[in-house]
Amino acid sequence: MYDERLTAFSRDRLDGRPVPEDLRVLLIAQWEGRTDLARLLDLDFFEPGEVHPLLDTSYLTPQELADPELRAVNAAAAEMAGYVKLVAKGGKGWLGYWLHPDEPADRPWRLVELDTEFSFWRPSGSTLTEGAAAERAAYQGDPDERIGFARLAADLAALGLPLSTRDYDALDDTEYEVDPERLMEELTEAAREKHGLD
């Protein structure tokens, strides 16, 4: 029923890669108008035609767009958009996957979060659902985020979206092979040099 929409989402947001199973469940829930999962995870998935945040320059004035420093930053951001596959609004800004080609292919996609100041964060967890739940765990009204995460995991499982663990401390916290923040700095510096700013 939703095959065409999933294919379009994959093409628009993941460069045609297969949609991970938990993301598929979350997308279908949003498209069906179910708010239970979105409420628990505080996620709102991109709709067709929404611009990738790293490519969105609509808020800049013509003078800002012409500024050499900003042009260098925008060039670096455009290159980063090839690796940062954002799929949802939530958390600190946007959440998705870090799909740099130097990341190991034999493990789940690494999660990445981009905040509204264009800083990159590494969420814990091996799936988008786990990353969002780990982020939300501190906002559950519990004295400890571990308790909040366990409650969220139980609630998600009851809705048909089980996590790999209910133990916050057991979430995958593997480091990136290529750090997005550092790569953004390197690409910006290369773009500055190209524009004669060094």
Side-chain angles (χ1 to χ4, degrees):
M1 179 174 176
Y2 290 103
D3 288 350
E4 286 183 20
R5 286 184 82 171
L6 288 165
T7 299
F9 189 92
S10 168
R11 185 181 57 248
D12 294 347
R13 299 293 162 192
L14 302 171
D15 291 337
R17 294 174 180 89
V19 176
E21 179 60 21
D22 70 313
L23 175 55
R24 185 188 68 76
V25 171
L26 292 166
L27 285 168
I28 291 172
Q30 177 168 303
W31 296 335
E32 289 177 344
R34 290 177 45 204
T35 59
D36 45 6
L37 294 170
R39 178 184 51 77
L40 286 175
L41 298 173
D42 189 31
L43 293 177
D44 182 27
F45 294 94
F46 286 108
E47 294 293 341
E50 286 190 73
V51 178
H52 190 299
L54 287 171
L55 300 175
D56 184 9
T57 58
S58 64
Y59 60 94
L60 298 173
T61 66
Q63 294 79 12
E64 289 171 322
L65 287 170
D67 178 79
E69 287 285 348
L70 268 178
R71 287 175 56 207
V73 170
N74 287 337
E79 194 166 342
M80 286 294 290
Y83 312 128
V84 179
K85 301 302 175 186
L86 300 174
V87 296
K89 297 166 240 176
K92 298 174 180 71
W94 303 276
L95 190 63
Y97 304 98
W98 175 236
L99 298 179
H100 191 279
D102 291 341
E103 292 295 320
D106 62 346
R107 67 180 189 204
W109 294 347
R110 299 300 300 138
L111 301 175
V112 68
E113 191 168 12
L114 177 68
D115 70 20
T116 55
E117 301 297 318
F118 279 22
S119 293
F120 297 94
W121 301 82
R122 184 178 43 85
S124 297
S126 59
T127 67
L128 188 78
T129 305
E130 288 180 359
E135 174 98 12
R136 297 292 307 149
Y139 303 100
Q140 299 305 302
D142 294 298
D144 186 319
E145 61 195 7
R146 292 166 185 80
I147 297 168
F149 181 80
R151 274 197 319 113
L152 266 176
D155 290 344
L156 289 164
L159 293 171
L161 196 56
L163 305 183
S164 67
T165 182
R166 291 186 183 193
D167 180 358
Y168 182 85
D169 293 325
L171 287 169
D172 183 0
D173 204 19
T174 307
E175 294 288 339
Y176 298 125
E177 289 294 321
V178 177
D179 181 76
E181 197 76 26
R182 189 172 306 121
L183 181 59
M184 179 70 178
E185 291 170 6
E186 291 170 3
L187 292 173
T188 302
E189 190 56 35
R192 291 183 81 255
E193 289 176 13
K194 184 178 176 183
H195 288 92
L197 297 173
D198 282 338

